[in-house]
Amino acid sequence: MKVSVVIPIYNVAGFIERCLLSAFNQTYLDIEYILVNDATPDNSMEIVNQTVAPYLGTKEIAIINHPKNKGLGAARNSGVKAAKGNYIFFLDSDDEIPQDSIEQLVASMGDYDVDVSMGEIKVSGAKRSSYPPLLLKQGVYTDSQKIFDTYLRKQWYEMAWNKLIKRDLFIQDGLWFNEQILHEDTLWSFFVASRINSLAVCTAETYCYHIQDNSITQKKSIRNTESFYFLIEEIIKESKEKNFLEKYPSLLDYLEKMRVYFIKILMQNSFDGDYILIKKQEVDSLFAQDIWTVRRQTLLSRLKEKYLTIQLKHK
């Protein structure tokens, strides 16, 4: 079984060698490596070429060059389109993986032809408490409703990396990354979790996630805020079309947490006061129409709402 490791590259000169060496030294052998140069402005590609050189002829390595910067989602999509493997593994270029990462994820499938296999992560550069551990036991899950429910309950990670994902989910089912937004992992993983029929879980650490202070996930901007609003809107739209709100009670809590997080983004950044009020009204309108009519807010949600409203008045 061939695995395609897709590595987007943009402004990672300080990390890309470490990333590539961890990928090239895997104990699992049937791997192709697809490196996507997303028009990086630094000397990352010089380091890539130097690092790749000793492995040419012994490793299956392809480099794709974007003529202009398109973003992480587009880089991943380009990698998948060029891939020939049965499964895709996304590796961010400032992270690394243990030598037996791919081998462990493949082994966790057993004899099952699973849609997704995922492992535990090791976090570096941030408190581990910020990223709760994988809460599912090792094994293969074949109940699609249970798989989606465990996702909604935050029992496994929404990030695209550290998973073996069947390539057919992209090619046949159209589960591509939205290239116009940030938070693309959140929207993508929601669609994946709601549609897959099988999931393999490996409780070994198969990915080392390095938190960078200047990473895109650590910064909040107008685009960041608008993207997060868009994904809430899209998730609500999909949930209504598929009747998820009636089928999965945990979805209500999942969405409410997203709304609260969205308001926190507004509160914790130096946005114009009028912009904050407008965006809060917009997201509340989404929920008033589609969510709160299904079930009244829980006591906890109402308390959080009161707290955030008080903060907003004093901003």
Side-chain angles (χ1 to χ4, degrees):
M1 183 183 74
K2 182 184 286 294
V3 173
S4 300
V5 175
V6 175
I7 306 176
I9 300 166
Y10 185 81
N11 258 356
V12 285
F15 316 108
I16 187 60
E17 181 180 14
R18 177 186 67 192
C19 173
L20 291 178
L21 290 177
S22 75
F24 292 158
N25 289 303
Q26 288 296 295
T27 54
Y28 190 81
L29 300 179
D30 195 2
I31 300 177
E32 67 167 354
Y33 302 90
I34 301 175
L35 317 181
V36 184
N37 171 21
D38 194 26
T40 183
D42 66 354
N43 66 329
S44 290
M45 291 312 298
E46 294 177 23
I47 299 171
V48 167
N49 291 329
Q50 293 170 3
T51 308
V52 163
Y55 295 93
L56 294 177
T58 61
K59 301 289 183 185
E60 194 175 346
I61 303 171
I63 297 178
I64 298 172
N65 293 294
H66 282 177
K68 63 179 182 179
N69 178 251
K70 297 182 178 181
L72 180 60
R76 286 172 173 168
N77 286 342
S78 292
V80 174
K81 290 173 184 176
K84 299 185 286 290
N86 308 94
Y87 286 85
I88 307 295
F89 182 89
F90 294 113
L91 172 57
D92 282 0
S93 45
D94 53 354
D95 296 331
E96 60 184 311
I97 52 177
Q99 281 189 312
D100 62 348
S101 173
I102 304 300
E103 183 176 5
Q104 290 263 27
L105 291 172
V106 170
S108 71
M109 298 182 187
D111 296 327
Y112 291 89
D113 181 30
V114 302
D115 292 326
V116 174
S117 174
M118 66 182 179
E120 178 61 287
I121 66 172
K122 178 181 179 181
V123 179
S124 174
K127 291 182 179 180
R128 187 62 176 86
S129 58
S130 301
Y131 298 87
L134 179 64
L135 298 178
L136 296 181
K137 294 181 180 180
Q138 182 145 333
V140 175
Y141 297 76
T142 56
D143 183 334
S144 59
Q145 289 192 351
K146 182 177 180 180
I147 290 170
F148 187 36
D149 186 66
T150 58
Y151 172 82
L152 295 173
R153 294 178 185 275
K154 303 285 188 179
Q155 294 183 5
W156 49 283
Y157 304 109
E158 67 181 19
M159 294 81 82
W161 40 253
N162 197 30
K163 296 177 177 70
L164 291 181
I165 305 135
K166 189 176 287 186
R167 185 169 175 267
D168 286 348
L169 290 175
F170 295 90
I171 307 303
Q172 295 180 9
D173 297 335
L175 292 177
W176 300 98
F177 291 94
N178 187 308
E179 300 183 6
Q180 307 304 316
I181 63 169
L182 305 177
H183 305 289
E184 61 278 326
D185 280 22
T186 302
L187 186 58
W188 175 84
S189 64
F190 180 89
F191 283 109
V192 170
S194 67
R195 298 183 190 188
I196 61 175
N197 296 307
S198 53
L199 172 70
V201 175
C202 173
T203 54
E205 291 179 346
T206 54
Y207 197 96
C208 185
Y209 177 34
H210 292 280
I211 308 295
Q212 313 302 332
D213 290 338
N214 63 343
S215 71
I216 198 166
T217 57
Q218 303 302 305
K219 292 182 177 180
K220 308 302 177 188
S221 63
I222 291 293
R223 184 188 172 202
N224 187 293
T225 305
E226 295 294 340
S227 292
F228 201 79
Y229 178 85
F230 174 81
L231 74 87
I232 293 175
E233 194 173 32
E234 287 297 297
I235 288 174
I236 289 176
K237 178 181 177 182
E238 175 78 359
S239 298
K240 289 180 64 181
E241 290 178 354
K242 299 293 179 60
N243 294 319
F244 288 159
L245 291 167
E246 292 77 17
K247 198 173 182 180
Y248 298 98
S250 53
L251 177 58
L252 298 167
D253 291 330
Y254 173 86
L255 286 168
E256 179 59 26
K257 287 175 181 177
M258 292 186 75
R259 187 185 74 91
V260 170
Y261 179 71
F262 178 78
I263 295 172
K264 285 182 177 180
I265 292 176
L266 294 173
M267 298 295 304
Q268 293 172 357
N269 291 273
S270 302
F271 298 133
D272 177 78
D274 290 339
Y275 175 78
I276 293 174
L277 289 171
I278 289 171
K279 297 312 295 184
K280 184 181 183 301
Q281 289 169 0
E282 286 181 358
V283 76
D284 284 348
S285 177
L286 277 181
F287 279 72
Q289 295 171 21
D290 304 311
I291 306 303
W292 292 334
T293 54
V294 178
R295 188 186 70 181
R296 293 184 65 185
Q297 288 174 274
T298 63
L299 175 61
L300 180 60
S301 294
R302 292 198 298 271
L303 289 173
K304 287 181 178 179
E305 173 73 8
K306 184 176 181 180
Y307 172 73
L308 290 169
T309 301
I310 291 172
Q311 282 191 314
L312 185 61
K313 289 180 180 177
H314 289 85
K315 189 169 177 67

